[in-house]
């Protein structure tokens, strides 16, 4: 009986809290002389001491939503607000956003700083399908203390251009790719065209004045048209030609000895960091 009474009390408290957000919405609509839900494109409910927000699904055209500075621990009021472009949830008490935002693929700005988010993988998973997401703030959350947190977010949310108020640099994207896609990076480097180390062999025969009267036996000119002056032995000419052939080489990083992300997260900050070995292959 006591448990049943407690549940009823929780439901009543939640209902009252939701009604508080409904009153705020009603006042805003009246102030802006908006009579239809479909005409609502922005809602400002910041710094309103809200613990729960009622369902906002009826606002189909909602694009901008301010809920910052409240006491929200979860966000479950945006089930069908697919046009939402900017969402401000900073300075709350959010502990988990799993399943709350991943369907809002039109978002390009999300503010989640100064909350209590602890699960890096589950939080970032919410943003993976947001190809328009450009601005993301997650600082001052426990998850931001994770090792290689910034590289992890940059790699898994490639559309982000401004993370935690700092521009995402190309060097950071390249480093994130090497860390989290080691096999793919190794494959890309292994099929590279390489680079030329030496110039091409001398083409044709360059005649000097003292060579003009020389006579050549056609039987000895094999492979000598690349050598000046020609060698007496054709086999020597062939060997010399082969030795001067262009040398190709390519270098790759051996990432196989570098621990994966999960293993690095379990290391202590004082542990020595392994460095990938450079492997160089040369051939003619």
């Amino acid at each position: 009986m006591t448990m049943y009474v407690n549940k009823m009390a929780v439901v009543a408290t939640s209902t009252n809290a939701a009604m508080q957000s409904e009153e705020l919405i009603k006042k805003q609509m009246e102030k802006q002389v908006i009579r239809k839900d479909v005409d609502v494109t922005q809602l400002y409910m910041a710094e309103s001491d809200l613990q729960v927000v009622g369902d906002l699904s009826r606002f189909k055209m909602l694009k901008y939503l301010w809920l910052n500075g409240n006491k929200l621990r979860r966000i479950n009021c945006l089930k069908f607000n697919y046009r939402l472009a900017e969402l401000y949830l900073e300075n709350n008490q959010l502990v988990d956003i799993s399943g709350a935002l991943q369907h809002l693929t039109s978002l390009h700005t999300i503010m989640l700083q100064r909350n209590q988010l602890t699960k890096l993988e589950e939080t970032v998973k919410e943003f993976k399908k947001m190809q328009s997401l450009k601005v993301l703030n997650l600082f001052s959350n426990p998850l931001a203390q994770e090792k290689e947190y910034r590289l992890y977010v940059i790699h898994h949310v490639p559309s982000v251009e401004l993370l935690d108020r700092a521009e995402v640099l190309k060097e950071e994207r390249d480093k994130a790719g090497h860390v989290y896609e080691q096999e793919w990076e190794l494959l890309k480097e292994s099929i590279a065209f390489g680079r030329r180390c030496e110039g091409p062999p001398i083409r044709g025969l360059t005649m000097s004045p003292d060579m003009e009267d020389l006579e050549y036996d056609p039987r000895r000119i094999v492979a000598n048209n690349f050598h000046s002056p020609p060698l007496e032995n054709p086999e020597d000419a062939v060997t010399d030609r082969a030795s001067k052939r262009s040398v190709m080489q390519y270098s790759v990083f051996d990432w196989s000895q570098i621990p994966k992300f999960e293993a690095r997260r379990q290391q202590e900050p004082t542990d020595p960091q392994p460095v990938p070995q450079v492997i160089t292959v040369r051939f003619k």
Side-chain angles (χ1 to χ4, degrees):
M1 183 66 180
T2 302
M3 183 179 297
Y4 178 76
V5 172
N6 290 338
K7 288 184 177 181
M8 291 294 293
V10 170
V11 171
T13 302
S14 178
T15 302
N16 292 334
M19 289 178 62
Q20 182 181 357
S21 65
E22 290 294 329
E23 287 295 326
L24 287 173
I25 295 172
K26 183 179 179 180
K27 290 180 180 179
Q28 286 191 43
M29 293 180 66
E30 291 176 351
K31 184 177 181 180
Q32 299 177 22
V33 195
I34 298 176
R35 294 184 175 84
K36 297 180 180 180
D37 294 341
V38 72
D39 294 330
V40 176
T41 59
Q42 59 183 13
L43 288 173
Y44 186 85
M45 293 185 283
E47 307 293 341
S48 300
D49 201 32
L50 297 176
Q51 297 182 12
V52 179
V53 177
D55 187 17
L56 303 177
S57 298
R58 66 183 186 276
F59 303 111
K60 304 295 184 183
M61 305 302 293
L62 185 63
K63 291 186 177 181
Y64 310 99
L65 178 60
W66 288 267
L67 289 171
N68 48 295
N70 287 294
K71 299 179 180 179
L72 303 176
R73 295 185 62 83
R74 277 178 169 59
I75 184 77
N76 52 11
C77 57
L78 303 170
K79 296 180 180 179
F80 301 106
N81 302 98
Y82 300 115
R83 289 183 172 83
L84 198 61
E86 296 183 12
L87 179 59
Y88 299 87
L89 289 167
E90 67 270 25
N91 297 315
N92 275 286
Q93 301 174 10
L94 294 171
V95 295
D96 188 16
I97 61 169
S98 299
L101 305 178
Q102 59 185 352
H103 59 289
L104 305 176
T105 55
S106 296
L107 280 168
H108 62 71
T109 300
I110 301 178
M111 300 295 176
L112 281 166
Q113 66 269 27
R114 301 188 187 92
N115 278 285
Q116 300 175 13
L117 300 173
T118 59
K119 301 176 181 178
L120 179 60
E121 292 86 351
E122 294 184 11
T123 299
V124 172
K125 184 180 179 181
E126 293 294 301
F127 314 131
K128 288 186 176 181
K129 296 181 180 180
M130 299 180 184
Q131 299 182 5
S132 300
L133 186 58
K134 303 298 182 184
V135 181
L136 176 63
N137 279 353
L138 290 170
F139 64 89
S140 296
N141 279 283
L143 58 78
Q145 304 301 317
E146 291 271 4
K147 191 175 182 180
E148 297 176 350
Y149 144 78
R150 185 173 174 86
L151 291 181
Y152 184 87
V153 177
I154 290 173
H155 175 70
H156 289 90
V157 194
S159 63
V160 168
E161 298 177 355
L162 195 67
L163 175 61
D164 292 345
R165 301 183 295 190
E167 181 182 0
V168 176
L169 304 177
K170 182 181 182 300
E171 292 78 6
E172 291 180 305
R173 296 191 189 279
D174 294 340
K175 185 176 180 180
H178 282 297
V179 171
Y180 296 106
E181 290 190 4
Q182 297 178 7
E183 295 179 0
W184 172 242
E185 291 295 326
L186 181 61
L187 177 61
K188 288 197 299 184
E189 293 177 351
S190 67
I191 61 176
F193 290 103
R195 57 188 176 87
R196 192 179 296 275
C197 296
E198 298 180 4
I202 300 174
R203 298 286 180 176
L205 178 61
T206 303
M207 300 293 291
S208 61
D210 57 345
M211 296 172 56
E212 294 180 354
D213 297 332
L214 293 178
E215 295 183 1
Y216 298 101
D217 184 350
R219 293 172 298 178
R220 296 191 296 110
I221 296 182
V222 178
N224 271 346
N225 58 325
F226 290 98
H227 193 277
S228 178
L231 299 176
E232 292 293 332
N233 189 344
E235 293 184 1
D236 293 340
V238 174
T239 303
D240 184 75
R241 165 97 168 90
S243 65
K244 292 184 178 180
R245 186 177 300 156
S246 297
V247 177
M248 304 293 291
Q249 82 169 26
Y250 67 88
S251 300
V252 298
F253 286 105
D254 182 11
W255 295 98
S256 61
Q257 304 301 321
I258 305 301
K260 300 288 186 177
F261 170 68
E262 293 78 6
R264 287 198 302 275
R265 289 183 58 192
Q266 298 177 2
Q267 294 178 347
E268 296 294 333
T270 56
D271 292 345
Q273 299 298 319
V275 179
Q277 181 182 2
V278 179
I279 301 176
T280 301
V281 179
R282 295 187 177 183
F283 58 91
K284 293 184 179 180

